Amino acid sequence: MTVIEPGLYVRDGFAEGPLADAALSRVARAAQLLDNLQEQAPRLNDAQLHDGVCRALRRFTQEQPPAQQVDSLTALIRRGVRVDWPVPDRLPCA
């Protein structure tokens, strides 16, 4: 096991520890938010959908997502394209 910093370790090429668990939790929450948005999309106006996509991405990245990425995902969802956000069991490390 390699210690990256307190709370983050690497074992067998995967991140472990409380910081890795928090990152996985953020991924799962972002995926859930996007799923909910896709179900609600027909009832949302463009601004509401755009804001929801922005919030989901911000949850994942913990910073303001690029406007182009938000616009692209919003357009896909509006057109009815299903956006899948896979949630891994473990975080691979490069």
Side-chain angles (χ1 to χ4, degrees):
M1 177 172 20
T2 303
V3 176
I4 302 299
E5 63 179 75
L8 183 62
Y9 316 98
V10 176
R11 182 185 310 192
D12 298 327
F14 291 93
E16 295 182 357
L19 294 177
D21 294 341
L24 283 172
S25 177
R26 285 193 313 273
V27 171
R29 182 65 179 139
Q32 181 182 18
L33 289 171
L34 281 176
D35 282 344
N36 292 344
L37 278 173
Q38 291 178 88
E39 291 176 15
Q40 298 173 4
R43 296 183 301 277
L44 299 175
N45 65 38
D46 289 341
Q48 290 170 323
L49 182 58
H50 188 274
D51 182 60
V53 169
C54 187
R55 280 187 285 115
L57 291 177
R58 193 175 321 125
R59 168 77 62 160
F60 174 64
T61 62
Q62 293 187 310
E63 59 185 39
Q64 186 66 27
Q68 184 177 8
Q69 184 180 24
V70 175
D71 294 344
S72 295
L73 284 175
T74 301
L76 287 172
I77 292 170
R78 182 58 74 202
R79 286 195 307 259
V81 175
R82 185 76 185 168
V83 177
D84 289 325
W85 194 283
V87 179
D89 293 333
R90 296 169 48 184
L91 292 177
C93 290

